[in-house]
């Protein structure tokens, strides 16, 4: 199925014919005197001339770092309307409000991380307390398919940078963030009162919001599914609270200008010089605390309890950190990025003092940049995706010390997505099956494929 055939559709508003162009010279109109004074990077130019006055769109951004607003709370309707008329049509706002207030709220209220789970028809998550054999797991994986038209939809207008799924396994709610700050939420099962319309007004369960102006680099739901946190290249972090039905800015970086002195992110990384690359929840404290990595190679711990504070802000790399992963033990963290090294840290040794630089517990030299490094649900394994065209599996990395010479398993894998595709970041399934852990990765094979691997590196399924 074609992605554009389902999901978001551009609003087909009638266009008024433009007036016919006429030559000012033939009409005897004097030249305005506007000229190009100089050329800048990215195709921008400086225009000058005696009669030239910049219009509103050319004036300096109204908000810091060209953010969507001054940090004020965005309601659901406001976040939808910010998408613009191209993606909004009659009934779009009402449909989004109904889904977020009724369907998503119901899905959240009926979910408990410790409750029994029936499982979505399209999920392979095992039922807690019951074992599942390797044969049954393989059978469930073999049943997965993308052949149905209902399995594909356009969720965001631009290229997707981040993905997160609601933790309730009984309903599939897929969220995606794109490079222009849009967040698309797809009610895959179309649960609830959403009308399953077949006409052009239907969005097939997809709802679009715009809480950011920069690329949405990272997204995650909290364990209870009551809050969706997202970080953006514009330096801000917003949380969608299902109960309060609002996108709230919980953190943002700012410059050292005195006007921002009361902000939690005051004078952090110059405000403009770097962007937020990844977000990792501190699972010890729910959604109250989280980690952020930046393009400058630093890691921050943000504590929103009480009045909020930055617990620490440490430079752990000379170059961008693409991913962070906190081990289930709550204190071992893995970082990876452009430095070409996977490093493991004890976050208990980190403080708000920048004079005391922490030292890694263990590290693995890869040779080229690393897209991601994630601990498995049990913490037994660490999975890395590298530009050496490998998927590496390290075992017991959290108790290692010094140089890790070779991984337990190395899978040859083409990770060169090129300029127009987002980089691969192989991820673990959040559940294990009788001790068997599995992970998924994109593939450059043709036709394009989703690959499912076992924790030992064996290929279990190719989904096309």
């Amino acid at each position: 199925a074609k992605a554009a055939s389902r999901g978001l559709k551009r609003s087909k508003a009638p266009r008024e014919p433009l007036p016919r162009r006429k030559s000012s010279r033939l009409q005897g109109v004097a030249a305005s005197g506007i000229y190009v004074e100089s050329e800048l990077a990215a195709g921008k130019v400086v225009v000058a001339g005696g009669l030239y006055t910049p219009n509103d769109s050319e004036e300096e951004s109204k908000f810091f770092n060209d953010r969507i607003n001054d940090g004020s709370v965005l309601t659901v309707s406001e976040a939808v309307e910010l998408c613009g008329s191209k993606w909004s049509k009659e009934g779009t706002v009402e449909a989004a409000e109904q889904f977020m207030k009724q369907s998503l709220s119901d899905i959240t209220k009926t979910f408990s991380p410790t409750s029994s789970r029936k499982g979505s028809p399209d999920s392979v998550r095992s039922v807690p307390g019951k074992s599942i054999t390797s044969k049954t797991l393989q059978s469930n994986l073999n049943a997965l398919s993308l052949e149905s038209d209902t399995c594909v939809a356009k969720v965001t207008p631009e290229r997707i940078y981040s993905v997160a799924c609601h933790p309730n396994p009984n309903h599939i709610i897929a969220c995606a963030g794109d490079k222009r700050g849009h967040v698309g939420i797809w009610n895959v099962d179309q649960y609830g009162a959403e009308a399953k319309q077949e006409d052009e007004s239907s969005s097939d369960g997809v709802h679009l919001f715009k809480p950011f102006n920069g690329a949405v680099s990272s997204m995650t739901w909290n364990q209870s599914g009551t809050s969706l946190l997202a970080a953006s290249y514009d330096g801000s972090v917003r949380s969608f609270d299902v109960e309060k039905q609002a996108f709230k800015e919980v953190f943002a970086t700012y410059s050292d200008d005195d006007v921002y002195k009361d902000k939690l992110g005051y004078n952090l990384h110059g405000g403009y010089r770097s962007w937020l690359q990844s977000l990792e929840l501190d699972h010890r404290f729910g959604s109250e605390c989280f980690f952020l990595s930046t393009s400058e190679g630093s890691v921050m711990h943000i504590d929103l309890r009480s009045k909020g504070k930055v617990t620490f802000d440490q430079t752990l790399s000379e170059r961008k950190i693409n991913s962070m992963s906190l081990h289930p033990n709550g204190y071992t963290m893995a970082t990876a990025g452009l430095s070409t090294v996977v490093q493991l840290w004890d976050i208990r040794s980190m403080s708000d003092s920048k004079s005391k630089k922490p030292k890694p517990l263990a590290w693995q030299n890869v040779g080229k940049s690393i897209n991601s490094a994630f601990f498995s649900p049990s913490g037994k394994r660490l999975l890395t995706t590298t530009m050496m065209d490998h998927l590496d599996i390290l075992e017991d990395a959290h108790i290692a010390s010094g140089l890790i010479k070779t991984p337990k398993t190395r899978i040859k894998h083409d990770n060169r997505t090129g300029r127009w595709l987002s980089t691969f970041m192989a991820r673990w399934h959040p559940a294990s099956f009788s001790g068997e852990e599995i992970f998924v990765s994109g593939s450059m094979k043709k036709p394009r494929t989703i690959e499912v691997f076992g924790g030992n590196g064996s290929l279990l399924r190719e989904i096309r």
Side-chain angles (χ1 to χ4, degrees):
K2 295 181 179 179
S5 65
R6 289 176 55 81
L8 295 179
K9 300 177 182 66
R10 287 186 175 88
S11 179
K12 298 179 180 178
R15 293 184 178 182
E16 296 183 5
L18 297 174
R20 186 177 179 181
R21 294 182 62 188
K22 298 179 181 179
S23 169
S24 298
R25 180 178 62 81
L26 294 178
Q27 295 180 80
V29 178
S32 61
I34 298 174
Y35 61 93
V36 175
E37 187 176 69
S38 61
E39 296 185 11
L40 305 176
K44 296 181 179 180
V45 296
V46 176
V47 181
L51 300 179
Y52 172 72
T53 54
N55 57 39
D56 293 340
S57 63
E58 294 171 316
E59 292 179 354
E60 188 176 351
S61 173
K62 184 178 179 181
F63 304 112
F64 185 85
N65 209 11
D66 196 29
R67 289 173 187 155
I68 206 78
N69 64 14
D70 60 358
S72 302
V73 173
L74 285 173
T75 64
V76 170
S77 60
E78 289 171 339
V80 174
E81 290 166 355
L82 284 168
C83 297
S85 58
K86 181 186 289 187
W87 302 105
S88 297
K89 48 184 177 287
E90 186 177 353
T92 298
V93 174
E94 292 76 10
E97 287 181 322
Q98 182 184 42
F99 165 70
M100 300 294 257
K101 191 173 184 178
Q102 297 181 14
S103 302
L104 186 57
S105 294
D106 287 346
I107 289 170
T108 302
K109 289 175 183 177
T110 58
F111 167 63
S112 170
T114 58
S115 66
S116 61
R117 304 170 183 177
K118 298 177 182 178
S120 163
D122 299 312
S123 172
V124 296
R125 181 189 288 267
S126 62
V127 180
K130 293 184 179 181
S131 61
I132 179 172
T133 65
S134 299
K135 186 177 180 180
T136 303
L137 173 61
Q138 188 64 61
S139 177
N140 289 344
L141 290 173
N142 290 340
L144 297 177
S145 172
L146 293 174
E147 294 179 0
S148 171
D149 289 347
T150 60
C151 292
V152 183
K154 185 179 181 68
V155 181
T156 62
E158 302 286 346
R159 174 155 63 107
I160 291 174
Y161 273 49
S162 55
V163 174
C165 290
H166 193 276
N168 190 335
N170 304 323
H171 306 282
I172 301 179
I173 304 296
C175 309
D178 76 4
K179 73 174 185 178
R180 299 293 184 191
H182 298 94
V183 172
I185 301 181
W186 183 17
N187 181 9
V188 180
D189 301 325
Q190 295 203 32
Y191 166 83
E194 273 192 295
K196 298 183 179 180
Q197 299 171 327
E198 298 297 334
D199 56 22
E200 291 186 358
S201 64
S202 171
S203 64
D204 305 302
V206 176
H207 303 282
L208 187 66
F209 311 89
K210 198 172 193 303
F212 304 101
N213 260 347
V216 185
S217 56
S218 188
M219 289 197 302
T220 184
W221 285 92
N222 65 353
Q223 188 180 10
S224 61
T226 58
S227 177
L228 173 66
L229 270 80
S232 170
Y233 278 8
D234 65 20
S236 63
V237 177
R238 282 188 179 266
S239 170
F240 175 74
D241 190 304
V242 175
E243 182 180 353
K244 296 179 180 178
Q245 291 289 295
F247 293 88
K248 179 184 177 182
E249 183 179 281
V250 294
F251 176 79
T253 57
Y254 289 93
S255 66
D256 58 357
D257 193 315
D258 287 343
V259 71
Y260 305 117
K261 206 160 189 177
D262 60 338
K263 301 288 187 180
L264 184 58
Y266 170 72
N267 195 27
L268 279 177
H269 306 281
Y272 291 103
R273 291 198 310 268
S274 66
W275 63 84
L276 302 180
Q277 183 63 28
S278 65
L279 181 152
E280 171 83 351
L281 274 179
D282 187 343
H283 52 70
R284 299 170 299 175
F285 308 106
S287 57
E288 295 285 320
C289 303
F290 53 86
F291 301 90
L292 294 169
S293 75
T294 73
S295 58
E296 289 188 324
S298 63
V299 169
M300 296 177 277
H301 182 265
I302 313 300
D303 187 346
L304 299 179
R305 294 172 297 176
S306 187
K307 295 181 180 180
K309 66 176 181 177
V310 180
T311 310
F312 65 77
D313 175 17
Q314 291 284 355
T315 299
L316 303 183
S317 172
E318 295 180 353
R319 305 183 69 184
K320 181 177 69 171
I321 294 177
N322 284 327
S323 75
M324 304 169 292
S325 183
L326 184 64
H327 190 273
N329 65 20
Y331 58 84
T332 305
M333 171 173 282
T335 62
L338 299 188
S339 67
T340 75
V341 182
V342 180
Q343 294 179 300
L344 293 111
W345 311 84
D346 187 338
I347 61 173
R348 297 173 298 183
S349 66
M350 298 184 187
S351 66
D352 56 0
S353 173
K354 291 194 175 184
S355 60
K356 186 181 178 181
K357 190 174 181 180
K359 295 182 179 180
L361 302 173
W363 60 92
Q364 180 203 13
N365 295 317
V366 173
K368 289 188 178 180
S369 64
I370 306 160
N371 297 345
S372 62
F374 297 113
F375 283 111
S376 64
S378 68
K380 173 71 174 178
R381 301 179 175 99
L382 179 67
L383 171 66
T384 65
T385 308
T386 77
M387 291 309 292
M388 288 290 287
D389 287 341
H390 293 147
L391 299 178
D392 285 350
I393 302 174
L394 311 180
E395 287 198 357
D396 296 322
H398 62 292
I399 57 175
S401 61
L403 176 65
I404 302 174
K405 294 182 178 180
T406 56
K408 177 70 174 180
T409 306
R410 171 161 286 170
I411 306 167
K412 185 68 177 175
H413 195 269
D414 183 2
N415 295 324
R416 299 180 185 274
T417 53
R419 181 178 180 182
W420 305 111
L421 296 177
S422 297
T423 56
F424 292 151
M425 303 175 80
R427 297 296 299 257
W428 295 98
H429 191 288
S432 61
F433 308 90
S434 297
E436 176 68 18
E437 295 175 314
I438 62 175
F439 65 89
V440 298
S441 175
S443 173
M444 293 302 292
K445 294 179 181 178
K446 294 184 180 179
R448 293 290 185 250
T449 303
I450 300 172
E451 295 174 325
V452 184
F453 295 88
N456 60 2
S458 60
L459 181 62
L460 301 178
R461 178 78 163 91
E462 292 183 336
I463 307 171
R464 293 185 171 89

